[in-house]
Amino acid sequence: MKILAVESSCDETSVAVVEDGRKVYSNVIASQIDTHKKFGGVVPEIASRQHVEAINTVLKEGLEEAGVKLSDIDIIAATKGPGLIGALLVGLSAGKALALSTSKPFVGVNHIVGHVCANYISFKELEPPFVGLIISGGHTYLIEVKDYVDFTLHGRTVDDAVGEAFDKVARSLGLAYPGGPVIDSLAKKGKETIEFPRVMIKEDNYNFSFSGLKTAVLNYLNSAKLRGEEIVVEDVCKSFQEAIVDVLIEKSFRLARETKLDKIVLCGGVSANSRIREAFEERGQAENIKIFYPDLKLCTDNAAMIASAAYYEYISGKVDENNLANPNLGLK
């Protein structure tokens, strides 16, 4: 079963052809990062316009790279949320128009679920159940994946997403956008010398809060400047990153123990962070829990993960007929 999928939730226009949720024939991505760098973040109006300009070209490239025609496609899918409303509408409209004009089934996909499914592409042997940690610029979720379409939400951020915290701290340090990769790189040269808070909220609660950590970093920087003290950017980056890692590790492994699951799956753009991967691997070996994370090219937004999610939703028979764009779509 071949699925043609479109992803346009933020600043990547992507089209992929994937077979049976796992075999990727093509995964074309047109990124807008260079455009948004000068603004220090994604500008929604600019993102929407660039999606409109790119969508037809990327669709053509996706089919050509896969070596298939539209007549070879069984299902058409697109991201319906969450994301930027204007950006979502471009990809969703393109996907629905293709499905309508070719009389093929259409599946609107939850972008968050798509991130989880990226691991099915990287690891053909991976199957539920497992604990899933979704960490990206806009989302932080801790879930129990009981089946391909059956999720239990245990925790989420109550303020900033983890990737958002990385970007805001990077901006305060005068670093380039996106901030996550820059902080990850600089942290390797730093010493963990600054005590930043690890916000756990409550011991029986799996929610996350990164706003206080971000504020603590800003307060440290402002105080150091007022006292005329030297700010060692590498030390700030490492100390901040370790505070993030400690919270993610503690809550993820606690949920794995509580649910008696021996697999933790990381996904989303921040799962590309080398220190997060290293720390989870170390703790996983100590507690005999297997750690999975996607190939780097599948961590950020891409259409292959959307195609994978669409496949499992379609064969489950639980396809949601509400395919309106929903910028605030979450996990129930």
Side-chain angles (χ1 to χ4, degrees):
M1 186 179 291
K2 292 185 177 65
I3 296 95
L4 171 69
V6 183
E7 155 61 24
S8 68
S9 63
C10 190
D11 59 343
E12 275 95 15
T13 313
S14 181
V15 171
V17 177
V18 176
E19 184 176 85
D20 295 341
R22 307 251 180 176
K23 184 177 180 180
V24 178
Y25 286 87
S26 66
N27 190 22
V28 178
I29 303 171
S31 177
Q32 303 176 14
I33 286 180
D34 289 341
T35 298
H36 298 288
K37 269 184 178 179
K38 67 186 76 171
F39 305 106
V42 178
V43 181
E45 177 63 20
I46 294 175
S48 301
R49 291 178 182 274
Q50 292 210 347
H51 283 306
V52 171
E53 293 171 4
I55 188 66
N56 287 336
T57 300
V58 176
L59 272 167
K60 183 180 178 182
E61 290 179 1
L63 288 167
E64 288 178 350
E65 186 177 304
V68 299
K69 299 177 181 178
L70 267 177
S71 56
D72 300 318
I73 300 297
D74 299 295
I75 299 166
I76 294 174
T79 304
K80 64 181 180 181
L84 303 174
I85 184 62
L88 285 168
L89 283 169
V90 176
L92 190 62
S93 298
K96 289 166 76 172
L98 277 176
L100 185 62
S101 63
T102 56
S103 299
K104 296 182 186 295
F106 178 80
V107 179
V109 173
N110 186 319
H111 179 84
I112 303 168
V113 176
H115 274 305
V116 176
C117 293
N119 280 280
Y120 299 140
I121 297 171
S122 294
F123 301 96
K124 303 297 188 289
E125 75 281 9
L126 178 62
E127 295 179 349
F130 52 78
V131 169
L133 177 65
I134 305 149
I135 41 177
S136 68
H139 313 291
T140 305
Y141 286 94
L142 187 59
I143 64 175
E144 181 183 352
V145 180
K146 297 181 177 180
D147 199 351
Y148 291 103
V149 294
D150 186 4
F151 309 91
T152 297
L153 175 62
H154 287 272
R156 60 181 298 169
T157 181
V158 297
D159 40 55
D160 292 346
V162 62
E164 184 181 1
F166 270 99
D167 286 339
K168 288 179 177 178
V169 168
R171 190 180 302 125
S172 70
L173 289 167
L175 303 177
Y177 171 86
V182 183
I183 288 178
D184 187 17
S185 177
L186 290 173
K188 292 181 173 68
K189 305 171 186 176
K191 299 177 181 178
E192 191 183 354
T193 57
I194 308 161
E195 282 297 323
F196 290 136
R198 275 70 168 161
V199 181
M200 297 295 178
I201 304 180
K202 294 179 181 179
E203 285 301 317
D204 61 345
N205 191 301
Y206 287 106
N207 285 337
F208 299 91
S209 174
F210 298 108
S211 181
L213 171 59
K214 174 198 66 182
T215 301
V217 175
L218 295 179
N219 288 340
Y220 170 82
L221 295 175
N222 291 332
S223 296
K225 289 176 183 176
L226 287 173
R227 292 193 298 266
E229 297 175 355
E230 179 188 5
I231 295 172
V232 182
V233 174
E234 292 84 356
D235 290 352
V236 175
C237 287
K238 181 165 186 177
S239 300
F240 162 74
Q241 186 167 267
E242 288 301 316
I244 292 279
V245 168
D246 287 350
V247 174
L248 296 179
I249 287 276
E250 172 59 29
K251 289 183 179 287
S252 299
F253 280 86
R254 179 150 52 88
L255 180 59
R257 290 192 298 270
E258 180 183 301
T259 55
K260 295 180 172 57
L261 294 173
D262 63 354
K263 290 178 283 190
I264 295 177
V265 169
L266 310 179
C267 54
V270 182
S271 68
N273 181 284
S274 64
R275 176 56 187 148
I276 290 175
R277 291 182 175 212
E278 177 187 57
F280 269 85
E281 289 279 11
E282 291 172 355
R283 185 71 169 267
Q285 290 178 7
E287 298 198 20
N288 199 28
I289 292 176
K290 295 178 182 178
I291 308 300
F292 297 85
Y293 40 76
D295 296 339
L296 288 175
K297 63 183 178 182
L298 294 174
C299 289
T300 53
D301 296 348
N302 66 90
M305 68 183 196
I306 301 304
S308 180
Y311 169 76
Y312 290 109
E313 185 170 332
Y314 186 78
I315 65 171
S316 74
K318 296 181 180 180
V319 177
D320 186 356
E321 297 299 329
N322 180 6
N323 287 316
L324 298 175
N326 183 351
N328 300 313
L329 185 64
L331 283 175
K332 297 179 181 179

